[in-house]
Amino acid sequence: MFLLIPFIVSIIALFVAGLFAMRGLAIPMKNPQVSQISAAIKVAAKAYLARQYRTIFIVALGILVLLMFLGFNIALGFLVGAVASALAGYIGMMVAVSTNGPTAERASGGIIPAFRLSFQSGIVTGMLVVGLGLFVITAFYWWTNDVSSLVGLAFGGSLISVFARIGGGIFTKAADVGADLVGKIEVGIPEDDPRNPGVIADNVGDNVGDCAGMAADVFETYVVSTFSAMLLGSLLFKGVDNAVLFPLMVGAVGIVASLLSLGLVLLANFASVTKNLYLAVIGAAALSLLFLYPITSWMMSDIIPYSPIRLFISVVMGILVGAAMFVVTDYYTSKQFRPVRTIAEASRSGHGTNVIAGLAIGYEATVLPTIFIAAGILLSFMLAGVYGIALAVVGMLSISGVIVTLDAFGPVGDNAGGIAEMAGLPEETRNVTDILDAAGNTTKAVTKGYAIASAGLAAVVLFVAYKEELGDSIDRAFSLEDPRVLIGLMLGGLVSYLFASLNMMAVGKVAAAVVEEVRRQFREMPGIMEGKVKPDYSRAVDIVTGRAIRAMIVPALLPIVAPIVVGMLLGAEALGGLLVGGIITGLFLALSMTSGGGAWDNAKKYIEEGNFGGKGSDAHKAAVTGDTVGDPFKDTAGPAINPMIKVMNIVALLIVKFL
């Protein structure tokens, strides 16, 4: 019964995703220019993902062979997790690139039809992520009846996630930075101007980074968090099946609540896009709490030392932490609040002061999230021990379907705006797509904050599972008097900073190549500026694709290799220190980079609205510089730290028996 319900709910989620996907892929486009531009974005996005997955396949094949030595079920789980994660990202991205053109056309009819279409596209990715996640966990556990074998499933999803986040992040930001530096600053043409040779690559990047990359990221977090909660349930309460199955039921409740909430939003007639988006989150959270308490009482009465009300409140704590992350990230990245306007005002005195203000806001943005995460950990631990922390993570991720919907909605609106600009659609149409784009920028920033918080909590649970798996073989207190623990802590911080550095350097190098190509075309093809010669868009796409694929390999392998080397050379104590150092340092880096980058981006947009001189002013040029710095912060290095932290912890669980 308790396995059948999550299984059925996951099938329903996949059915809804499939229904909306077929509708999205079948929508015709009437304007030939819109159709041509949309097709170019789709072809380039498909080509990039195909090359990315071929590269990942080669790496995964070698890992699969090694995992066979740990057991057939672990190796099979790795394969299933990797395929499911890749599938969620690929299908979601294909629907997004098929919906961008029709959204641009529907924008001529006002905000409501354009919003509904782009939102339906986001629902495909959202329901695919949670539907596939719950399906593979439930089915694989039913088939193996072994919680520990699910570690392979988690590792497969994590591998795809770290590659997708890095590769997609490098692609999207290198293309964006390269196109903006020449187009906006040197040549002085608007964003998404069809005369910019890098404009198609820029639009492709929005999809492979924010759609496919985020889908793989949250899928992996969803699977890892559910697995870790189930594993802790089996280790802490041996023989109590419901303690293992309860996280699956929490996930099922969250999907049902998310589907109902998303349906209500589609039926609503609010002209305010932001109101619709936040209504979806609030509705999903409220319905989850409404359904969850009776189910908790039904499943968990008098079977473990903690009462159902304590377990229920632990789940609530996770949802509340997620809600707090939404509010805080929105405050630090929205144009109407102090942080963004502080950066915009600093732009008046130059490029340097803009960068200083952006860095300062990013550092400040770590304070409240850390307090909320710490409070969530403490309160859920007081309620139900480490199992309570695990349930808090599962609770936070139970409404991931809505969260991913909000994120995947963003690239569709962004692409629709770009297509409207390139196709020369009326200004009224572009005004509507600008509203979608602005809302999407905010939701992308907010969902990244949510993903970081959930990753931090999930990593804490994985670390506890690592300690439990060690048993009494070592001093599980990991005393700071042990130099190996201290060395591990320092190495964990080192890995986080090195990982961020590799990603930032990759974006810089690939962006430089795009800049040179865009400059070359403007220089050698003077008719571009007069609109007499069409730029060679494919050349910029090819440059970014090839270089992004090559650049992603080393940073993606770092969180796999580091735990193995530290664990084998310095022992379990040092590996424990590495995991803690990676969690703490990585969490702060990710928070500061993501919020700071989002604030930089919206400070530029705030000035472009006519404040502090508007477009073309010295303040605007300084804001573009700040946005250039913030882009790889918020869309490459920052988000990629999420899977990096969890990959290290999962690898530690895989090798713990050899320590």
Side-chain angles (χ1 to χ4, degrees), residues 103 107 110-120 262 265-266 268-282 326 330 336 402 405-414 431-444:
T103 298
I111 188 65
I112 292 178
F115 167 76
R116 283 179 175 165
L117 183 56
S118 57
F119 194 68
Q120 287 176 30
L262 292 170
V265 170
L266 283 177
N269 285 315
F270 293 132
S272 170
V273 175
T274 304
K275 184 182 290 186
N276 278 292
L277 296 175
Y278 286 103
L279 178 65
V281 178
I282 294 169
F326 255 75
D330 182 62
Q336 65 263 39
V402 172
T405 296
L406 266 61
D407 186 84
F409 147 85
V412 179
D414 194 350
N431 289 338
V432 171
T433 60
D434 281 347
I435 295 172
L436 295 176
D437 186 18
N441 279 332
T442 300
T443 57
K444 285 187 290 185

Side-chain angles (χ1 to χ4, degrees), residues 8 118 186 220 291 302 324 335 361 402 443 553 592 626:
I8 292 173
S118 57
E186 296 182 10
E220 172 254 352
F291 299 151
D302 303 322
K335 289 178 287 187
I361 292 297
V402 172
T443 57
I553 296 174
S592 63

Side-chain angles (χ1 to χ4, degrees), residues 368-628:
L368 289 176
T370 303
I371 292 172
F372 287 128
I373 292 170
I377 291 172
L378 179 61
L379 293 174
S380 56
F381 179 81
M382 292 171 63
L383 286 163
V386 291
Y387 189 62
I389 300 175
L391 293 182
V393 186
V394 173
M396 180 187 293
L397 288 162
S398 64
I399 58 171
S400 291
V402 172
I403 305 304
V404 177
T405 296
L406 266 61
D407 186 84
F409 147 85
V412 179
D414 194 350
N415 272 199
I419 291 171
E421 177 79 27
M422 286 184 276
L425 298 185
E427 185 178 351
E428 294 78 12
T429 300
R430 185 59 200 255
N431 289 338
V432 171
T433 60
D434 281 347
I435 295 172
L436 295 176
D437 186 18
N441 279 332
T442 300
T443 57
K444 285 187 290 185
V446 167
T447 51
K448 287 183 179 74
Y450 168 91
I452 291 166
S454 61
L457 284 171
V460 171
V461 177
L462 285 170
F463 175 72
V464 174
Y466 168 73
K467 288 183 63 180
E468 292 293 329
E469 288 280 22
L470 283 174
D472 297 322
S473 59
I474 68 166
D475 177 11
R476 294 189 298 163
F478 290 101
S479 171
L480 292 179
E481 295 177 358
D482 188 335
R484 290 171 295 181
V485 175
L486 286 173
I487 291 170
L489 288 168
M490 290 188 288
L491 291 176
L494 181 153
V495 169
S496 298
Y497 272 94
L498 179 59
F499 181 83
S501 171
L502 290 170
N503 280 282
M504 294 288 289
M505 289 295 292
V507 171
K509 290 178 180 178
V510 181
V514 178
V515 166
E516 290 304 315
E517 174 58 24
V518 174
R519 283 174 177 167
R520 182 193 67 79
Q521 291 198 34
F522 277 125
R523 183 174 61 250
E524 298 179 5
M525 303 163 66
I528 290 178
M529 286 299 294
E530 290 76 32
K532 299 177 182 178
V533 177
K534 185 177 179 181
D536 183 1
Y537 301 123
S538 62
R539 179 59 185 157
V541 172
D542 288 341
I543 289 173
V544 184
T545 298
R547 298 191 181 215
I549 295 293
R550 290 194 296 271
M552 75 178 181
I553 296 174
V554 173
L557 291 177
L558 180 62
I560 299 173
V561 174
I564 296 174
V565 172
V566 171
M568 294 303 178
L569 294 182
L570 299 176
E573 298 89 347
L575 180 53
L578 177 84
L579 301 180
V580 174
I583 293 170
I584 300 301
T585 309
L587 182 65
F588 280 97
L589 268 176
L591 287 171
S592 63
M593 286 183 160
T594 302
S595 294
W600 258 314
D601 187 4
N602 278 330
K604 177 197 70 176
K605 288 180 169 59
Y606 181 70
I607 292 174
E608 288 175 344
E609 291 176 351
N611 300 291
F612 303 128
K615 291 183 179 180
S617 65
D618 289 340
H620 181 237
K621 292 176 182 178
V624 171
T625 298
D627 184 37
T628 303

Side-chain angles (χ1 to χ4, degrees), residues 638-659:
I641 290 173
N642 301 347
M644 182 215 77
I645 296 171
K646 286 166 291 182
V647 166
M648 289 201 300
N649 281 270
I650 292 169
V651 171
L653 284 175
L654 286 169
I655 67 173
V656 66
K657 64 179 67 175
F658 302 109
L659 301 179

Side-chain angles (χ1 to χ4, degrees), residues 210-301:
D210 282 321
C211 192
M214 173 58 93
D217 186 358
V218 178
F219 173 88
E220 172 254 352
T221 304
Y222 189 91
V223 171
V224 167
S225 300
T226 307
F227 150 70
S228 59
M230 294 172 69
L231 180 62
L232 275 182
S234 69
L235 293 173
L236 297 172
F237 313 110
K238 297 185 184 300
V240 182
D241 290 341
N242 283 11
V244 178
L245 299 177
F246 184 57
L248 295 175
M249 193 63 76
V250 174
V253 169
I255 289 178
V256 172
S258 297
L259 284 170
L260 291 173
S261 181
L262 292 170
L264 290 173
V265 170
L266 283 177
L267 294 173
N269 285 315
F270 293 132
S272 170
V273 175
T274 304
K275 184 182 290 186
N276 278 292
L277 296 175
Y278 286 103
L279 178 65
V281 178
I282 294 169
L287 290 171
S288 289
L289 298 180
L290 180 65
F291 299 151
L292 190 60
Y293 182 69
I295 291 175
T296 306
S297 298
W298 176 39
M299 281 189 70
M300 304 300 287
S301 293

